[in-house]
């Protein structure tokens, strides 16, 4: 799989066309490899997603999961969801991260967070 975008801000027709051409170019280089697009904004506010095989949305708050899941399901090109960060993990200490990366749906000790409970509920509907 090739990941071709990570949280781009596509607000113009030119930007949309750029990501369309990039997806087409990747498929020309290797038509057997799926391509992915990682967004930050909601699907209806993210241009360019429709050209990719796998579309991801980076959201880090548990309270946003249900809203994001419902919005993603409304998109005609959306068929499945996937958790990117299964569990928190230790990382280098920087200004933006103090000791741990806490984006997982489970703690480092594999205790479920609110996000894990919400995903279980959504996936069992």
């Amino acid at each position: 799989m090739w990941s071709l975008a990570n949280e781009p801000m596509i607000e113009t027709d030119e930007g949309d066309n750029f990501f369309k051409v990039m997806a087409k170019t990747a498929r020309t280089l290797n038509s057997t490899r799926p391509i992915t697009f990682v967004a930050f904004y909601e699907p209806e506010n993210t241009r360019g997603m429709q050209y990719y095989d796998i579309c991801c949305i980076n959201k880090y708050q548990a309270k946003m999961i249900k809203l994001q899941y419902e919005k993603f399901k409304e998109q005609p090109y959306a068929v499945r969801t996937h958790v990117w960060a299964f569990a928190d993990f230790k990382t280098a200490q920087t200004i933006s991260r103090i000791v741990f990366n806490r984006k997982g749906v489970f703690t480092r000790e594999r205790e479920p967070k609110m996000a894990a409970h919400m995903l279980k509920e959504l996936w069992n509907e």
Side-chain angles (χ1 to χ4, degrees):
M1 180 182 321
W2 282 338
S3 179
L4 302 181
N6 185 40
E7 300 182 358
M9 293 178 61
I10 306 168
E11 299 175 345
T12 64
D13 291 339
E14 292 83 4
D16 184 84
N17 189 58
F18 173 82
F19 281 90
K20 180 179 181 179
V21 170
M22 187 165 52
K24 184 178 178 182
T25 301
R27 286 194 177 90
T28 300
L29 294 171
N30 186 337
S31 63
T32 66
R33 189 179 285 211
I35 56 173
T36 185
F37 178 110
V38 183
F40 180 74
Y41 297 108
E42 292 73 17
E44 68 273 14
N45 295 326
T46 300
R47 298 175 70 170
M49 282 181 120
Q50 68 271 24
Y51 309 120
Y52 292 77
D53 301 313
I54 299 167
C55 298
C56 309
I57 302 174
N58 283 342
K59 287 294 179 183
Y60 308 110
Q61 304 90 3
K63 63 185 176 185
M64 297 296 292
I65 287 177
K66 186 170 186 173
L67 173 64
Q68 294 303 319
Y69 183 79
E70 295 301 325
K71 292 289 184 183
F72 201 72
K73 282 183 12 181
E74 293 172 7
Q75 304 309 310
Y77 50 82
V79 293
R80 301 282 189 276
T81 59
H82 170 73
V83 172
W84 182 258
F86 170 76
D88 296 343
F89 55 90
K90 191 170 182 176
T91 187
Q93 184 167 329
T94 65
I95 292 172
S96 62
R97 283 191 190 115
I98 308 299
V99 184
F100 295 110
N101 186 318
R102 301 185 197 301
K103 296 176 188 170
V105 296
F106 290 86
T107 66
R108 286 184 73 204
E109 294 76 26
R110 305 308 190 251
E111 294 295 324
K113 296 181 181 179
M114 184 170 33
H117 295 291
M118 180 62 67
L119 287 169
K120 181 178 179 182
E121 176 185 320
L122 293 170
W123 288 344
N124 285 313
E125 287 182 342

